[in-house]
Amino acid sequence: MANLTDSFGRSIDYVRVSVTDRCDLRCCYCMPKQFHDFHEPEEWLNFDEIERVLAAFARLGTQRIRLTGGEPLVRKDLPQLAQRLSALPGVEDLSLSTNATHLDRHATALRAAGISRLNISLDSLNADTFRQITGGRLEKVLNGIMAAREAGFRPIKINMVPMRGVNDHEVEDMVHFCIEHQLTLRFIETMPVGDAGRSATESYIDLSEIRKKLEQKFELIPGVMPGGGPARYLQVAGTKINIGFITPISQHFCATCNRVRLSVDGTLFTCLGQEHHVALRPLLRAGISDRELEHTIVAAIRMKPERHEFNESPEKVLRFMSYTGG
Ligand code: SAM
Ligand code: SF4
């Protein structure tokens, strides 16, 4: 039973946790190429603190947690944290967002630690384009995806941010790749989050355009995926493959938002596109009781804003996606 309800009547039962703001890639829409201004380790919530905050959320009815970042797999001992979080009473679904560059080494341990669902970023199937977008090696990511399949993760969702003139010519190839490897494919519209996100909106594509393009090549029928997220799904007829469209810009889904985000330094953000937040780390380190922690969370949720304003005020969100947790 979700006890966390905001002032617009939305039940909040999903927390995304940025376990690190660091990353081994530099996706053009997420982090500037030369960016190194990361939080220092003493500013990060430690595993005990993360567990404590999420245990409080779980007592308040949160059933679903996603580990994200930055790149979660660059945080040491992530499977240990996953094990602790999946064991929390009330937590039914622990998932991970990753760029998969280190997944081949960690897939089995993460699966054993209780992570069941994976989202993997993959913006191109061409090694040169992949390097141009991310600065990294495509081969490592493909190895990671195959290791995840072997380790038994289901579903595995591929996240692609289509960008005009960069990778938009690859959307059909990506559908074929996902059919071949039985992966769910999701397209995401570029959001003006942080400087990198704002610059990347120059190549923004409204996903209705991508949908029309795909409809000329594939028969798309209404599809459903479990997960309660913002994606609207279509299934490729004759296959089990679903394609999701995440449209924060062209058709926002704030009325059904069910989530909040815990940043790497323990700040609770109640909207990806607004600055409303409560700094939990100083409270944790000052000895807040469990009861006070729960009250603080309930009060923060009551202040959750109605919606983002990416279209009206694209300059608003200065913080990087990796800090808040994408
Ligand atoms: N490093 C992991 C990864 O890449 O999957 C997890 C963190 S990443 C911030 C989570 C998701 O946010 C990725 O799918 C990425 O494509 C997406 N993302 C990052 N910046 C974005 C932006 N400005 N607009 C849209 N999506 C963005
Ligand atoms: Fe790293 Fe993920 Fe951001 Fe790419 S999207 S730079 S992989 S955190």
Side-chain angles (χ1 to χ4, degrees):
M1 239 282 286
N3 299 330
L4 287 174
T5 304
D6 73 5
S7 58
F8 300 96
R10 297 172 294 196
S11 284
I12 308 304
D13 66 353
Y14 182 24
V15 183
R16 296 170 77 108
V17 186
S18 175
V19 294
T20 178
D21 54 351
R22 292 165 198 239
C23 188
D24 54 333
L25 298 184
R26 291 288 182 279
C27 301
C28 57
Y29 45 73
C30 182
M31 234 186 256
K33 284 270 178 293
Q34 308 306 330
F35 185 77
H36 279 285
D37 189 15
F38 297 112
H39 283 74
E40 294 302 322
E42 58 272 17
E43 297 172 316
W44 307 346
L45 286 196
N46 63 38
F47 285 0
D48 289 341
E49 291 166 334
I50 295 176
E51 184 181 9
R52 201 164 161 229
V53 173
L54 291 169
F57 268 101
R59 287 193 299 277
L60 292 164
T62 298
Q63 295 174 331
R64 298 194 298 134
I65 298 170
R66 174 172 295 275
L67 302 177
T68 180
E71 174 45 41
L73 293 183
V74 305
R75 176 111 188 217
K76 200 162 164 274
D77 298 327
L78 189 76
Q80 285 179 22
L81 176 66
Q83 183 90 55
R84 290 168 71 166
L85 299 181
S86 62
L88 286 174
V91 171
E92 293 186 354
D93 177 42
L94 180 65
S95 56
L96 173 74
S97 290
T98 175
N99 63 27
T101 56
H102 297 291
L103 194 55
D104 57 349
R105 277 186 290 130
H106 297 293
T108 308
L110 292 166
R111 184 79 190 90
I115 293 178
S116 53
R117 301 189 300 116
L118 281 186
N119 288 0
I120 297 177
S121 289
L122 179 62
D123 290 322
S124 174
L125 293 167
N126 174 288
D128 291 335
T129 310
F130 184 84
R131 182 177 290 280
Q132 183 199 335
I133 297 171
T134 70
R137 276 180 48 213
L138 174 65
E139 192 191 348
K140 289 173 77 178
V141 176
L142 297 181
N143 289 343
I145 293 172
M146 298 315 147
R149 281 202 49 77
E150 273 167 37
F153 288 98
R154 301 287 185 276
I156 300 173
K157 295 179 182 166
I158 299 297
N159 284 342
M160 176 181 188
V161 179
M163 290 168 279
R164 195 177 304 285
V166 180
N167 62 350
D168 54 331
H169 58 289
E170 287 195 59
V171 293
E172 287 165 32
D173 291 349
M174 201 62 92
V175 175
H176 286 299
F177 175 80
C178 289
I179 292 173
E180 183 185 345
H181 298 288
Q182 295 173 37
L183 306 162
T184 299
L185 174 59
R186 304 185 324 158
F187 297 110
I188 308 177
E189 288 177 344
T190 314
M191 289 178 271
V193 177
D195 287 346
R198 257 184 299 283
S199 311
T201 54
E202 282 172 14
S203 43
Y204 165 81
I205 304 184
D206 179 327
L207 288 184
S208 59
E209 198 180 305
I210 300 291
R211 179 180 164 161
K212 281 186 202 129
K213 192 169 172 175
L214 292 178
E215 277 169 344
Q216 289 167 13
K217 300 282 174 178
F218 302 93
E219 186 188 346
L220 301 179
I221 56 178
V224 194
M225 282 292 291
R232 295 181 183 86
Y233 284 99
L234 293 172
Q235 194 176 343
V236 183
T239 76
K240 292 194 174 131
I241 301 311
N242 280 290
I243 305 179
F245 296 82
I246 303 180
T247 56
I249 307 300
S250 64
Q251 234 186 324
H252 76 76
F253 32 78
C254 302
T256 55
C257 186
N258 62 348
R259 62 200 56 195
V260 291
R261 289 174 166 83
L262 185 63
S263 71
V264 63
D265 65 349
T267 307
L268 182 64
F269 285 95
T270 53
C271 175
L272 181 62
Q274 299 279 6
E275 293 296 342
H276 300 57
H277 67 270
V278 177
L280 296 181
R281 189 190 56 184
L283 305 176
L284 293 167
R285 294 192 183 169
I288 190 174
S289 70
D290 281 348
R291 213 182 154 73
E292 287 164 338
L293 181 58
E294 287 171 25
H295 281 308
T296 305
I297 291 171
V298 170
I301 301 291
R302 294 258 152 78
M303 304 288 285
K304 182 173 163 68
E306 185 176 13
R307 53 180 292 248
H308 69 66
E309 291 162 324
F310 287 143
N311 292 322
E312 303 88 324
S313 313
E315 73 292 344
K316 197 162 203 165
V317 181
L318 299 176
R319 59 185 193 266
F320 287 99
M321 190 72 125
S322 52
Y323 162 69
T324 325

